[in-house]
Amino acid sequence: MMEIYAIGDGAITLQLGNQVNDFLNKKIIAIQNWIWQNSFAGLKDVVIGYASCTLYYDASIIKQQYHLASSAHQWVKQFLEQAYHQSLVALYTQPRTVTIPVCYDLDFGTDAAALAASKSISVEALVNNHTSNTYRVYMIGFLPGFAYMGMVDALIAMPRKQKPQTVAAGSVGIAGQQTGIYPLQSPGGWNIIGRTPLQLFTASNQPPVLLQAGDEVRFEAISREVFDNWNL
Amino acid sequence: MSLVIIKPGILDSLQDMGRYGHSHWGINPGGVMDVFAATVANALVCNPATAAVLELHFPASQLLFEQNSLISICGADFTPLLDGAPIPLWQPVLIRKNSILHFRKQQKGARCYIAVQGGFEASEWLGSCSTHFKLALAGFNGRRLEKNDQLLFKEPTVYFAALLTEGKRYSVLNWGASVYNSYAWPNEIFFIPGPQMHYLAANHKEFSAANFTIHPSSDRMGYHLRGEALTVNNTTEIISTGVTRGTIQLLPSGQLVILMADHQTTGGYPIIGTCIQAHLPKLAQLSASDVLQLLPVSIEVAEELFYRQQQDLNLITWNCHLHLKELLCKA
């Protein structure tokens, strides 16, 4: 079910439902790509969620540019309807696969032991499970370059912690059936199971973020030694 | 050309209109909290609207101008004193080098802007000089201003030295910006109802009558509102979507948060609505413990008010340039 609603007078959201799944997310990415290819004067930004796409626009530029009698909102709404009908998933579904090395040492994976214990599995089984699947990057948000990925196996899924703690940059966590990597040190409530030596965010890079929505990610276990020598 | 921070304020930084077009990487636009006041500040000294300005919170920094300068102070009234003498807001002021500007008392408003003719030198990242505190990037070393920081000015684009009067420490140029429209009824904030407005038991009329107080934990990221906890009819969780400046989120506690300049790009709390752009300047000037009401309006009203505000800004900008040009011709 598609709906379009205002987020104030400078933004508008197209939403395809309230579920996390690959099918809806692929359509959203197709819509995002269509929008970029058909950009208009006054378009400031595009953000995608799991199953939504939000456009940020300057109403006064749109009104001037297109000599509108009706509202700029109405005009952008029609643009989004067009994006919905004309964007083709097939054109944009070749994902990029990114392998992320992760050290699952318990010094880094501060919540791994508790998570494994609550699921009555060994930490080794937890790591094997986490590294055996391919995860889709559904969206980027929360922090610059923070990728919301899923879905993790129900066996290792774990609700967010009640109390957020300071999480180190590179930490790999699990929240519900999502998995993610903290690009920067930040307060966070995800269950931390390891750490990557890769930089998820580098200000001087173009783009400054390693992962983008639509990417497929595999985690590869590395030893503490490999981790320590990674950036040498 | 420079000024020096001789005593630091609580949270003073260089900001401009923000960095757009990177939100899909989780990089939010940021920028000045009060876009209107910052635009007028630049207009008064004939800078482009995109020039970096100094955003001050109270208690604000004490500044030493090391050079003759043409400046303007807009937004909040923190009682600006130049070498002890009060100077007005919303007017261009010529000041001689070695003048000290300080701010005595928070009279009204929460964020004050200083523009200098030519603009401040500032480091840029992704097309904007706005200080990104979390990433420690852009503006002045990516952080708030501290004691002894020296802010360099760009080359002036207007030859204002001819306007300095012999023997006078400063002179206030005799025009100013009328900004009544944008700040009238400071506590009434209009918003456009959002997708989860119906989560609330209150109808539009009941919701409009509620008073919300801004909690002291509020900052550039968002305003935490305190009021009687709202009755929630629907507790269906929503998946994360894009949010914007002014978005009103409903927390599980039944309290509201309004996202401000340094908000995250996406959010997973129900969206009650989003404050209209024309009222964001008013909102930016509210402080902790101020009370506000949230009044639902239509998109058409919001767009009309935004359009009028833009027209006001165009008129102010045009007049400021005209006045200064005229004065320079006479000098």
Side-chain angles (χ1 to χ4, degrees):
Chain A
M1 176 205 61
M2 189 270 274
E3 59 173 334
I4 299 177
Y5 52 81
I7 297 293
D9 55 333
I12 186 167
T13 296
L14 179 152
Q15 181 125 23
L16 298 180
N18 196 31
Q19 289 143 22
V20 178
N21 70 49
D22 290 16
F23 177 72
L24 295 184
N25 192 248
K26 278 178 183 162
K27 176 65 179 172
I28 286 297
I29 288 172
I31 291 171
Q32 180 191 37
N33 286 317
W34 189 94
I35 291 166
W36 276 334
Q37 282 166 13
N38 295 278
S39 183
F40 55 86
L43 178 64
K44 291 164 81 178
D45 240 329
V46 184
V47 169
I48 64 167
Y50 288 104
S52 66
C53 179
T54 303
L55 293 192
Y56 301 80
Y57 60 90
D58 185 321
S60 52
I61 292 179
I62 291 171
K63 274 190 161 171
Q64 272 167 29
Q65 191 79 16
Y66 305 100
H67 309 286
L68 299 182
S70 64
S71 66
H73 169 81
Q74 205 54 41
W75 189 89
V76 186
K77 189 176 177 185
Q78 278 162 14
F79 176 86
L80 269 179
E81 281 165 358
Q82 218 180 334
Y84 175 74
H85 290 295
Q86 294 185 4
S87 55
L88 298 172
V89 175
L91 287 178
Y92 307 109
T93 44
Q94 300 82 7
R96 196 171 62 132
T97 303
V98 184
T99 302
I100 307 275
V102 177
C103 176
Y104 291 94
D105 192 295
L106 292 180
D107 284 350
F108 296 148
T110 47
D111 301 313
L115 197 160
S118 78
K119 296 283 182 178
S120 307
I121 55 171
S122 64
V123 170
E124 202 184 355
L126 164 65
V127 172
N128 284 339
N129 190 303
H130 194 247
T131 51
S132 64
N133 281 319
T134 302
Y135 304 99
R136 178 180 179 80
V137 176
Y138 289 106
M139 56 179 275
I140 307 288
F142 172 48
L143 291 172
F146 187 100
Y148 288 86
M149 295 176 269
M151 311 289 283
V152 303
D153 194 89
L155 184 71
I156 61 168
M158 187 79 181
R160 220 173 282 249
K161 292 189 289 181
Q162 288 290 327
K163 241 182 139 178
Q165 280 165 329
T166 303
V167 176
S171 294
V172 177
I174 290 176
Q177 277 191 276
Q178 304 170 101
T179 183
I181 311 165
Y182 286 79
L184 320 166
Q185 181 182 306
S186 160
W190 291 36
N191 302 280
I192 304 305
I193 59 168
R195 194 181 296 175
T196 178
L198 296 187
Q199 271 197 303
L200 274 290
F201 176 86
T202 312
S204 54
N205 284 3
Q206 182 61 11
V209 296
L210 185 67
L211 297 175
Q212 305 218 32
D215 286 348
E216 300 220 312
V217 169
R218 289 194 73 90
F219 295 105
E220 188 182 64
I222 57 168
S223 68
R224 181 62 187 259
E225 199 190 341
V226 171
F227 180 96
D228 288 338
N229 292 312
W230 194 269
N231 292 312
L232 291 183
Chain B
M1 295 287 278
S2 65
L3 66 76
V4 174
I5 309 292
I6 47 181
K7 199 175 148 195
I10 185 169
L11 178 62
D12 298 343
S13 62
L14 287 177
Q15 301 288 346
D16 62 12
M17 294 300 149
R19 47 184 69 78
Y20 286 88
H22 316 288
S23 293
H24 61 290
W25 294 329
I27 298 163
N28 92 307
V32 291
M33 287 280 277
D34 183 343
V35 170
F36 185 86
T39 305
V40 174
N42 273 324
L44 285 165
V45 297
C46 289
N47 283 346
T50 50
V53 295
L54 196 48
E55 181 179 86
L56 309 173
H57 290 78
F58 198 84
S61 298
Q62 212 174 98
L63 314 167
L64 167 67
F65 287 83
E66 298 189 306
Q67 210 64 45
N68 296 336
S69 315
L70 174 61
I71 71 162
S72 66
I73 307 173
C74 293
D77 184 356
F78 294 163
T79 333
L81 300 172
L82 195 71
D83 295 330
I87 55 168
L89 273 77
W90 308 105
Q91 270 186 274
V93 185
L94 273 163
I95 60 178
R96 283 201 181 272
K97 67 175 180 183
N98 296 327
S99 300
I100 290 177
L101 180 64
H102 81 279
F103 297 87
R104 198 184 55 205
K105 188 168 178 256
Q106 184 174 16
Q107 293 282 2
K108 200 173 142 190
R111 287 157 243 274
C112 175
Y113 296 88
I114 298 179
V116 298
Q117 211 302 301
F120 291 100
E121 286 283 0
S123 60
E124 196 179 298
W125 179 58
L126 298 179
S128 163
C129 296
S130 290
T131 306
H132 197 299
F133 295 100
K134 198 167 257 168
L135 294 174
L137 284 172
F140 188 92
N141 295 339
R143 60 165 170 80
R144 68 191 175 96
L145 299 171
E146 288 165 11
K147 190 180 163 86
N148 295 331
D149 283 347
Q150 187 182 34
L151 270 59
L152 300 178
F153 302 173
K154 290 185 176 172
E155 278 296 310
T157 54
V158 172
Y159 185 68
F160 58 82
L163 303 176
L164 285 161
T165 325
E166 203 58 44
K168 272 178 90 176
R169 293 295 307 155
Y170 70 93
S171 53
V172 179
L173 303 187
N174 70 347
W175 63 88
S178 160
V179 297
Y180 175 82
N181 289 344
S182 290
Y183 298 100
W185 294 285
N187 309 94
E188 292 184 5
I189 306 295
F190 289 1
F191 76 100
I192 294 167
Q196 284 84 37
M197 178 80 193
H198 65 275
Y199 276 34
L200 298 178
N203 61 32
H204 284 192
K205 204 175 155 196
E206 289 160 352
F207 186 73
S208 306
N211 283 322
F212 299 100
T213 307
I214 297 176
H215 191 261
S217 62
S218 302
D219 56 17
R220 277 182 49 94
M221 282 181 73
Y223 285 0
H224 295 264
L225 304 186
R226 288 287 179 277
E228 236 176 90
L230 298 161
T231 311
V232 179
N233 277 337
N234 189 329
T235 50
T236 313
E237 286 196 18
I238 63 155
I239 57 174
S240 289
T241 61
V243 291
T244 192
R245 193 189 287 213
T247 295
I248 307 161
Q249 295 179 323
L250 174 66
L251 301 183
S253 62
Q255 301 288 350
L256 302 177
V257 172
I258 306 181
L259 302 180
M260 297 302 282
D262 287 340
H263 67 86
Q264 295 171 9
T265 52
T266 58
Y269 290 123
I271 297 172
I272 297 306
T274 299
C275 302
I276 70 168
Q277 293 182 87
H279 282 188
L280 294 178
K282 292 203 289 193
L283 194 57
Q285 292 303 346
L286 295 178
S287 309
S289 78
D290 280 343
V291 174
L292 60 92
Q293 289 96 40
L294 294 166
L295 312 174
V297 294
S298 69
I299 286 272
E300 287 73 20
V301 167
E303 285 193 13
E304 178 62 25
L305 291 173
F306 184 60
Y307 179 75
R308 282 194 212 166
Q309 195 173 63
Q310 299 300 109
Q311 292 292 96
D312 280 356
L313 279 176
N314 290 342
L315 207 62
I316 289 168
T317 305
W318 191 75
N319 273 303
C320 287
H321 281 75
L322 202 70
H323 281 300
L324 193 61
K325 244 183 223 162
E326 237 177 53
L327 194 67
L328 285 166
C329 284
K330 282 187 211 153

